Amino acid sequence: MSISMAALKQLLSRTNTLWKPAARCLAQSAQQKLLPDDYDYDGPHVVTQVPGPRSKMLLKSLDNIQNTEAVQFFCDFKKSRGNWLVDADGNRLLDVYMQIASLPLGYNHPAVVSALTDENNLSAFVNRPALGVLPPVDFPDTLQKLLQVAPPGFCQVQTMACGTCANENAFKAVFFWYRARQRGSLIPTEEELESCMRHEEPGSPNLTILGFEGGFHGRTIGCLSSSHSAPLHKVDMPVLDWPIAPFPVTKHPLDVNAQENRLEEERCLDKVFQLMQEYKNKGRPVAGVVVEPIQSEGGDRHASNSFFRQLRKLAKENRSAFVVDEVQTGAGLTGKMWAHEHWGLEESPDIVTFSKKMVIGGLYFKEEFRPKGAMRIMNTWLGDPAKLVILEAVLNVIQQDRLLDNMTETGQVILQGLEKIQDKHAEVFSNARGRGAFCAVDFPNTSTRDRAVATLRNKGVQCAGCGAKALRIRPALIFQPHHARMFLDILEDTALELKSLGT
Amino acid sequence: MSISMAALKQLLSRTNTLWKPAARCLAQSAQQKLLPDDYDYDGPHVVTQVPGPRSKMLLKSLDNIQNTEAVQFFCDFKKSRGNWLVDADGNRLLDVYMQIASLPLGYNHPAVVSALTDENNLSAFVNRPALGVLPPVDFPDTLQKLLQVAPPGFCQVQTMACGTCANENAFKAVFFWYRARQRGSLIPTEEELESCMRHEEPGSPNLTILGFEGGFHGRTIGCLSSSHSAPLHKVDMPVLDWPIAPFPVTKHPLDVNAQENRLEEERCLDKVFQLMQEYKNKGRPVAGVVVEPIQSEGGDRHASNSFFRQLRKLAKENRSAFVVDEVQTGAGLTGKMWAHEHWGLEESPDIVTFSKKMVIGGLYFKEEFRPKGAMRIMNTWLGDPAKLVILEAVLNVIQQDRLLDNMTETGQVILQGLEKIQDKHAEVFSNARGRGAFCAVDFPNTSTRDRAVATLRNKGVQCAGCGAKALRIRPALIFQPHHARMFLDILEDTALELKSLGT
């Protein structure tokens, strides 16, 4: 069932008349195009308000079945291509959000389509195994591909179905490691095995994970107990009372404000140290620290490389594990495969979690965090080989098309453009910041930000906010400088429009 | 890319020489065969010990990357067909375990292959959306298919990536519902929104979920706090101290031992009532009760329909939600789509969770459990439309091939056969029990059970234990009476062998 690229294009075009009449994108940059011409266009094509009438009709149907308050509009994925998302009403939008930062190569990338239609891969899609007990014959080889892009210092990996499960299981690995060291043995005692069934110590230990204000790691109870980005994520939920450290509120550009930022970061590190002592004294030691390289849901909050290097040392000195949550920052958007590679750590993290653009969830961990005993890190599916087939295609494209370099180059265009616009329209947005193409700006308040998102959408750019007032930019890895310039033009239009409305 | 059945067979046979020389299964039953002849055989084909040398070699490779202590052997899914699992060494086993009860139609079912190779479905596999914010245009229609097989009384459904996330989010829905009722409003107060960020009441309420001894609902922290099936699942993990009720230890057959079982069930229900009072008095009310129709990981523990009817009433009287976890029991194996349909409830459950044979995780819930506000039940992917494509094919086959009836009929053959063997070899196993084809027996102890599993495997049957000493039978829905007879013959051989070894 493997088909030629010509046949594939023909197949895609058959179901897709929208693409035929549109003008092709003219070369706006000397850079080579990463996709065939009919995957790219010289601009958005907006024919209705977004959401349009068909999206609104579909919303009504869906609302009969489940809560739809977060739905933006309905997508026609068959008609979407590359960086261009087509909605139910035929609007074609330049997508700098990519399904909450989760699609690495945009829509219908030929390499992913090709992997899907390769008969050798069919079995992986048809027969989902219980990976922890009955793995497929090619599983060790497949995991080697995951290890080839592991952060420096890692040779162990465990797949999971999503980012939340990756983080919950990272915490489990931390607790197992911590208790093994405390009792001096990998094997639990009889007393522990018996007391845990009554939820009592020593079997159910009172260990904690230290998280940060503004941090986000998922919405199950363990993840929620370490997440502090928004009240609506946490309210009404019982949680474990784990320590919450302040995350530096830094000023941008980081280098220009280095002195002031350093004081702020020291304040936060001091507080981390204090919390570690305080919780130790309470008999609830901090077994692990979890942090994102850029707080993403929390509003694109950055700290300096030095902050993270010191935090890593603090964790080590406290004998706490250092867990880096790269669910949103990983897989290349910052210009490196893993955002924490920017930090220049002396000693790598203990565990790095991933999902989203990695197509599959999971955790890289050091050998000492490998659990002893069957079934301790386990569930029925433990991920999905079908997603590993797609990931392999994605990783090949990242390498062949030098997409990390593309993110560095495109990111510079985005950030310089954001700075230029904010210099002209400081009252509309400010605080332009980013690493690679992982960029953001802040609006004066939530309502203006939300109005900007809506205005951008109706001008043909699909994007979204994060935190209280940030606009986040999370394009696919195939987002090139000429796309960035289109986005910036529309953003400047939007700024002018908001300004004229007296924002 | 849709291909004919003839082409499909040719394609499958090209990669698969194992199937050509094997003898075809002779009609052993008047029942119509559910799959083409070349999907079925007159017996297993075992050429090495299981695991064989190739599986052992692969295990070494995998063990360099992650813990492999639960791995049984490696599977060649390309060569597997229907009820027959082929391993890395070319052994062909009759599979009554089906990837921890998760494959509904066995291996490489033509209908699933056909769904995968249908060009209309390609986009769902290539473009994984963020379902909660940007659903595909066909999503409302797709969910209607999920609702067509909903348990009686449900018209709301939310998809999730796995059973664990289904249960964690069921608990969330319970807590939101409970707190909304307590405060008399769906909308949290300012005080709640603010206090939850410090993990303090009233924003972080001290609510609990009552689970049962032997119950299993997953391995993330919320699920673990309600699961009590094995110490190794829980030890070393901090949990929420939620109430644990005894689950009836019943004698089989249930109807023969009705009087004794009734007393035992009343004891447990009394204890549930006491715990509800006790936790209310502690200021930690039971917001929800979670129970499996048959405790599966806990060792196939059954209770009477009457027990569950009374439990449902008790929950209602205590103003607790009643959550039925059908992750393992759902999707037809018991002869009904949902195992709790056997109970004859006056009022349906409040939430029913599913995964495994349903191909996708999720929860059905009553309208009053629908959260108010965006992003309260949410994560990036919220399941996967690719799995819904497969599920649709599966549900069509279940209906067209009357697979629920097949489970009832095959289940009778299995259970009667188990009873016959245990009558002859009472010292080897006892306590035959089941509902539809969801069956089990108990061995005298863990080591004998484990030896039975290994012996069965080397005689060509893939199965597994659960609880301390049960052997669980979890075939695919296409497991027919003639397969059951093959399995029973090999089980009796195994009993004789264990007996001769002095078990």
Side-chain angles (χ1 to χ4, degrees):
Chain A
M1 267 163 298
S2 184
I3 58 176
S4 71
M5 189 58 68
L8 177 65
K9 277 191 199 171
Q10 198 190 3
L11 167 71
L12 288 169
S13 66
R14 244 195 295 153
T15 57
N16 187 357
T17 54
L18 181 69
W19 297 93
K20 286 178 184 160
R24 296 287 149 76
C25 181
L26 300 169
Q28 297 183 6
S29 135
Q31 224 199 24
Q32 205 187 335
K33 299 282 284 298
L34 290 169
L35 280 171
D37 272 354
D38 49 350
Y39 277 71
D40 212 351
Y41 294 87
D42 59 356
H45 180 67
V46 181
V47 291
T48 73
Q49 282 281 304
V50 185
R54 185 153 179 244
S55 268
K56 285 181 181 163
M57 195 189 66
L58 290 167
L59 191 77
K60 273 192 195 164
S61 299
L62 185 58
D63 197 64
N64 288 327
I65 303 174
Q66 57 184 224
N67 180 301
T68 56
E69 290 176 72
V71 171
Q72 297 167 7
F73 54 82
F74 286 76
C75 304
D76 191 334
F77 291 111
K78 285 184 185 168
K79 292 183 179 159
S80 302
R81 293 283 179 285
N83 292 291
W84 299 92
L85 172 61
V86 176
D87 79 357
D89 292 276
N91 299 297
R92 186 179 63 223
L93 312 177
L94 181 62
D95 191 346
V96 298
Y97 182 50
M98 278 294 155
Q99 308 294 321
I100 320 185
S102 71
L103 273 187
L105 302 182
Y107 301 101
N108 289 306
H109 193 286
V112 179
V113 173
S114 192
L116 248 304
T117 49
D118 180 344
E119 65 181 62
N120 283 316
N121 296 331
L122 181 62
S123 167
F125 288 90
V126 173
N127 307 291
R128 188 175 190 178
L131 280 174
V133 291
L134 294 160
V137 288
D138 56 2
F139 193 50
D141 284 348
T142 309
L143 288 186
Q144 280 302 339
K145 280 156 200 150
L146 250 184
L147 285 176
Q148 278 165 17
V149 294
F154 291 93
C155 63
Q156 302 278 302
V157 70
Q158 176 67 60
T159 53
M160 286 286 156
C162 69
T164 299
C165 285
N167 284 326
E168 284 267 351
N169 281 282
F171 298 164
K172 289 182 83 158
V174 166
F175 294 129
F176 296 164
W177 164 83
Y178 197 91
R179 285 295 297 142
R181 225 178 27 178
Q182 276 189 319
R183 73 176 153 248
S185 163
L186 289 165
I187 315 293
T189 65
E190 275 308 308
E191 186 194 3
E192 286 166 344
L193 292 172
E194 183 246 350
S195 56
C196 77
M197 296 304 277
R198 299 188 308 270
H199 294 164
E200 288 172 9
E201 295 191 89
S204 301
N206 225 332
L207 300 175
T208 63
I209 299 286
L210 181 142
F212 287 89
E213 286 169 9
F216 179 81
H217 308 288
R219 295 159 187 269
T220 51
I221 287 182
C223 289
L224 263 188
S225 302
S226 62
S227 294
H228 316 288
S229 51
L232 265 178
H233 299 161
K234 290 174 79 82
V235 71
D236 294 342
M237 287 294 295
V239 287
L240 290 157
D241 181 22
W242 288 350
I244 311 165
F247 191 82
V249 180
T250 50
K251 286 201 180 152
H252 295 270
L254 290 184
D255 50 353
V256 173
N257 300 283
Q259 170 72 358
E260 196 176 338
N261 288 338
R262 194 171 56 75
L263 292 175
E264 167 65 359
E265 292 184 342
E266 276 171 11
R267 179 186 74 87
C268 296
L269 290 164
D270 285 349
K271 186 66 188 173
V272 170
F273 179 78
Q274 284 168 32
L275 282 167
M276 285 171 165
Q277 302 310 308
E278 186 186 318
Y279 273 75
K280 192 178 286 169
N281 295 338
K282 284 205 259 186
R284 309 189 56 212
V286 172
V289 172
V290 64
V291 73
E292 297 153 276
I294 302 165
Q295 286 192 335
S296 309
E297 295 306 312
D300 276 39
R301 297 169 77 195
H302 292 246
S304 72
N305 296 338
S306 158
F307 171 79
F308 290 108
R309 287 196 299 266
Q310 289 177 76
L311 183 63
R312 202 280 165 263
K313 273 190 195 151
L314 254 183
K316 173 107 175 168
E317 284 160 17
N318 191 56
R319 302 169 66 83
S320 309
F322 187 58
V323 180
V324 179
D325 176 346
E326 293 246 27
V327 167
Q328 192 153 170
T329 53
L333 196 51
T334 69
K336 292 190 187 280
M337 192 67 195
W338 304 101
H340 78 266
E341 291 180 72
H342 291 278
W343 297 342
L345 287 180
E346 272 178 37
E347 183 177 349
S348 60
D350 294 310
I351 301 181
V352 174
T353 59
F354 57 84
S355 190
K356 287 192 183 261
K357 280 194 164 53
M358 287 294 283
V359 186
I360 191 167
L363 48 149
Y364 295 110
F365 51 97
K366 290 193 173 155
E367 197 137 3
E368 59 184 302
F369 286 82
R370 181 173 159 140
K372 173 76 182 167
M375 305 274 177
R376 300 201 73 189
I377 297 286
M378 176 64 58
N379 57 49
T380 298
W381 285 321
L382 281 175
D384 184 355
K387 302 305 177 193
L388 289 167
V389 167
I390 296 175
L391 176 62
E392 187 178 342
V394 168
L395 294 177
N396 286 339
V397 174
I398 290 178
Q399 190 181 26
Q400 283 160 20
D401 290 352
R402 302 179 57 86
L403 296 188
L404 301 185
D405 293 344
N406 180 56
M407 285 294 93
T408 302
E409 189 187 343
T410 307
Q412 279 167 356
V413 177
I414 296 172
L415 191 56
Q416 285 165 10
L418 294 174
E419 285 168 347
K420 215 165 127 188
I421 302 172
Q422 80 182 8
D423 286 348
K424 282 200 267 178
H425 311 288
E427 65 278 49
V428 181
F429 65 75
S430 60
N431 241 354
R433 57 202 183 272
R435 202 146 220 178
F438 196 113
C439 294
V441 293
D442 285 336
F443 285 79
N445 50 51
T446 305
S447 66
T448 310
R449 187 268 317 274
D450 291 349
R451 201 180 313 154
V453 169
T455 306
L456 280 160
R457 194 170 288 152
N458 283 310
K459 290 179 185 290
V461 168
Q462 164 60 1
C463 62
C466 61
K469 52 188 186 176
L471 177 81
R472 63 174 142 178
I473 297 155
R474 302 285 192 276
L477 305 178
I478 52 163
F479 196 75
Q480 293 189 268
H482 68 277
H483 300 115
R485 282 186 280 270
M486 270 188 245
F487 161 67
L488 292 163
D489 285 349
I490 296 171
L491 181 65
E492 183 153 18
D493 269 4
T494 301
L496 283 168
E497 186 170 319
L498 292 177
K499 223 165 152 174
S500 75
L501 292 170
T503 294
Chain B
M1 266 165 299
S2 184
I3 58 176
S4 72
M5 188 56 70
L8 178 65
K9 278 191 196 170
Q10 198 192 2
L11 166 72
L12 289 167
S13 67
R14 246 195 292 153
T15 56
N16 187 356
T17 55
L18 180 69
W19 297 93
K20 285 179 185 160
R24 297 287 151 77
C25 180
L26 300 171
Q28 296 181 9
S29 133
Q31 226 198 22
Q32 206 187 335
K33 300 283 282 300
L34 291 169
L35 281 171
D37 273 355
D38 49 349
Y39 277 70
D40 211 352
Y41 295 88
D42 58 356
H45 179 67
V46 181
V47 292
T48 72
Q49 283 280 306
V50 185
R54 186 152 179 246
S55 268
K56 285 180 181 164
M57 195 187 69
L58 290 167
L59 190 77
K60 273 192 194 163
S61 300
L62 184 58
D63 197 66
N64 288 328
I65 302 173
Q66 58 183 222
N67 180 299
T68 57
E69 290 176 73
V71 171
Q72 297 168 7
F73 53 82
F74 285 76
C75 304
D76 192 333
F77 290 111
K78 286 184 184 169
K79 292 183 179 161
S80 302
R81 291 283 179 288
N83 292 290
W84 301 92
L85 172 60
V86 176
D87 79 357
D89 292 276
N91 299 296
R92 185 178 66 223
L93 312 177
L94 181 63
D95 192 345
V96 299
Y97 182 50
M98 278 295 155
Q99 308 296 321
I100 321 185
S102 71
L103 273 185
L105 302 182
Y107 301 101
N108 289 306
H109 192 286
V112 179
V113 173
S114 192
L116 249 304
T117 49
D118 180 345
E119 66 181 61
N120 283 315
N121 296 330
L122 182 62
S123 166
F125 289 90
V126 173
N127 307 292
R128 188 175 190 177
L131 279 174
V133 290
L134 293 160
V137 286
D138 55 2
F139 195 48
D141 285 347
T142 309
L143 289 186
Q144 281 301 341
K145 280 157 200 150
L146 251 183
L147 285 177
Q148 278 164 17
V149 295
F154 291 93
C155 63
Q156 300 280 302
V157 69
Q158 177 65 61
T159 53
M160 286 285 155
C162 69
T164 299
C165 286
N167 284 325
E168 285 266 354
N169 282 283
F171 299 165
K172 289 181 83 158
V174 166
F175 294 129
F176 297 164
W177 164 83
Y178 197 91
R179 285 295 297 141
R181 226 179 24 177
Q182 277 189 318
R183 74 176 153 247
S185 162
L186 289 164
I187 315 295
T189 65
E190 276 308 309
E191 186 193 4
E192 287 166 344
L193 292 172
E194 182 247 351
S195 56
C196 77
M197 296 305 278
R198 299 188 309 270
H199 293 163
E200 287 172 11
E201 295 191 271
S204 301
N206 225 330
L207 300 176
T208 64
I209 299 286
L210 181 141
F212 288 89
E213 288 170 4
F216 179 81
H217 308 288
R219 295 157 187 269
T220 49
I221 286 181
C223 289
L224 263 188
S225 302
S226 62
S227 294
H228 316 286
S229 52
L232 266 177
H233 299 161
K234 290 173 78 85
V235 70
D236 295 342
M237 286 295 294
V239 286
L240 290 158
D241 182 20
W242 288 349
I244 311 166
F247 192 80
V249 180
T250 49
K251 285 198 180 154
H252 295 270
L254 291 184
D255 49 353
V256 174
N257 300 283
Q259 171 71 1
E260 197 176 336
N261 288 339
R262 194 171 55 76
L263 291 174
E264 167 66 358
E265 291 182 343
E266 277 171 11
R267 180 186 75 85
C268 296
L269 290 165
D270 285 349
K271 187 67 187 171
V272 169
F273 178 78
Q274 283 168 33
L275 282 166
M276 285 171 164
Q277 302 310 310
E278 187 185 319
Y279 273 74
K280 192 177 288 170
N281 296 338
K282 283 205 260 187
R284 308 189 56 214
V286 173
V289 172
V290 62
V291 72
E292 297 154 275
I294 302 166
Q295 285 193 336
S296 308
E297 295 306 311
D300 274 39
R301 298 168 78 195
H302 293 247
S304 72
N305 296 338
S306 159
F307 170 80
F308 290 107
R309 287 196 298 266
Q310 290 178 74
L311 183 63
R312 202 277 164 265
K313 273 190 196 152
L314 254 182
K316 174 106 175 167
E317 283 160 17
N318 192 59
R319 301 169 67 86
S320 310
F322 187 57
V323 180
V324 179
D325 175 347
E326 292 247 28
V327 168
Q328 192 154 167
T329 53
L333 196 51
T334 69
K336 291 188 187 285
M337 192 67 194
W338 304 101
H340 78 266
E341 291 180 72
H342 292 277
W343 298 342
L345 288 180
E346 273 178 37
E347 182 176 350
S348 61
D350 294 310
I351 301 181
V352 173
T353 60
F354 57 84
S355 189
K356 289 195 183 256
K357 280 194 165 53
M358 287 294 283
V359 186
I360 192 167
L363 48 148
Y364 295 110
F365 53 96
K366 289 192 175 156
E367 197 136 4
E368 59 184 303
F369 286 82
R370 179 174 162 140
K372 174 76 183 168
M375 305 273 179
R376 299 201 73 188
I377 298 285
M378 178 63 58
N379 58 50
T380 299
W381 284 320
L382 282 176
D384 184 355
K387 302 305 177 193
L388 289 168
V389 167
I390 297 176
L391 176 63
E392 186 178 344
V394 168
L395 294 178
N396 286 340
V397 174
I398 290 178
Q399 189 181 28
Q400 283 159 20
D401 290 352
R402 303 177 57 83
L403 296 187
L404 301 185
D405 293 344
N406 180 56
M407 285 293 94
T408 302
E409 190 187 342
T410 307
Q412 279 167 358
V413 176
I414 296 172
L415 191 56
Q416 285 166 10
L418 294 174
E419 284 169 347
K420 216 164 126 187
I421 302 172
Q422 82 182 6
D423 285 347
K424 283 202 267 180
H425 311 290
E427 65 276 50
V428 181
F429 66 75
S430 60
N431 242 353
R433 57 202 183 273
R435 203 146 219 178
F438 196 113
C439 296
V441 292
D442 286 338
F443 286 79
N445 50 52
T446 306
S447 67
T448 310
R449 188 269 315 274
D450 291 349
R451 203 181 311 154
V453 169
T455 307
L456 280 160
R457 195 169 287 151
N458 281 310
K459 290 179 186 292
V461 169
Q462 164 61 1
C463 61
C466 62
K469 52 189 186 176
L471 177 80
R472 63 174 142 179
I473 297 155
R474 301 285 193 275
L477 304 179
I478 52 162
F479 196 75
Q480 292 190 267
H482 68 276
H483 300 114
R485 282 186 281 270
M486 271 188 244
F487 161 66
L488 291 163
D489 285 349
I490 295 170
L491 182 64
E492 183 153 16
D493 269 6
T494 301
L496 283 167
E497 186 170 318
L498 292 177
K499 221 164 153 175
S500 74
L501 292 169
T503 296

